[in-house]
Amino acid sequence: MIEYGSHIPYLLTNALALVLVFLAFKKHRMTRFIFILIFLLAGLFNLYTILVNPEFFNYYADKAFLNIYRTFISGYFSHHIQLVVGLISLGQIIVAILLSAGGRFVYLGVAGGIVFFIALIPLGISAAFPAMLLFFLALVLMQYRFE
């Protein structure tokens, strides 16, 4: 169930994911630019959040689909939020850099983005499911069209 007040970001995220799937067919460069922005801004947002409100990330523990995610988030993760989210943020920024670098680096950026989205899927509704599947699809389509 989507909590009251969180339905707008949920709907916007899924709408953006759908738009990117359609853009990936015809406007792969624009799609890549939007993914660069998504990963860069998400990485910066996560860095900011771990500095001002790291406990924000504990919210996801009971919402995850998989027990292993719930256990990890309420266990190790909850005691090392800044380390784990800091590394995730670094990964997001690296994906943005790789996607913007062009050439063979784009492949690495797409692979990193795919791994990132797959890792978020078990967070379920907290990660705006099914948006992560749609972002995954858009990345694959973008790369296919980019070649």
Side-chain angles (χ1 to χ4, degrees), residues 4-133:
Y4 180 75
S6 65
H7 62 285
I8 292 174
Y10 173 85
L11 293 172
L12 289 174
T13 302
N14 277 281
L16 175 61
L18 278 171
V19 167
L20 284 174
V21 168
F22 289 109
L23 277 177
F25 282 106
K26 296 283 186 192
K27 305 277 187 183
H28 59 275
R29 286 185 185 0
M30 181 185 295
T31 305
R32 190 172 108 197
F33 178 74
I34 293 169
F35 272 120
I36 291 166
L37 287 178
I38 288 170
F39 280 103
L40 180 62
L41 293 175
L44 294 174
F45 173 81
N46 286 335
L47 283 175
Y48 173 78
T49 305
I50 62 172
L51 294 174
V52 299
N53 185 19
E55 298 304 314
F56 167 80
F57 294 99
N58 282 328
Y59 165 80
Y60 298 105
D62 61 338
K63 310 256 186 287
F65 286 156
L66 299 178
N67 188 45
I68 192 168
Y69 270 60
R70 288 190 295 274
T71 302
F72 175 74
I73 293 169
S74 60
Y76 180 85
F77 178 87
S78 68
H79 301 318
H80 302 92
I81 294 171
Q82 290 180 319
L83 171 66
V84 175
V85 176
L87 291 172
I88 291 168
S89 299
L90 179 62
Q92 290 170 313
I93 293 168
I94 289 171
V95 167
I97 291 168
L98 290 169
L99 288 173
S100 64
R104 296 197 186 274
F105 292 110
V106 174
Y107 289 105
L108 293 172
V110 168
I114 287 170
V115 168
F116 180 78
F117 291 132
I118 290 172
L120 285 178
I121 290 170
L123 290 175
I125 202 91
S126 297
F129 186 83
M132 297 309 119
L133 290 172

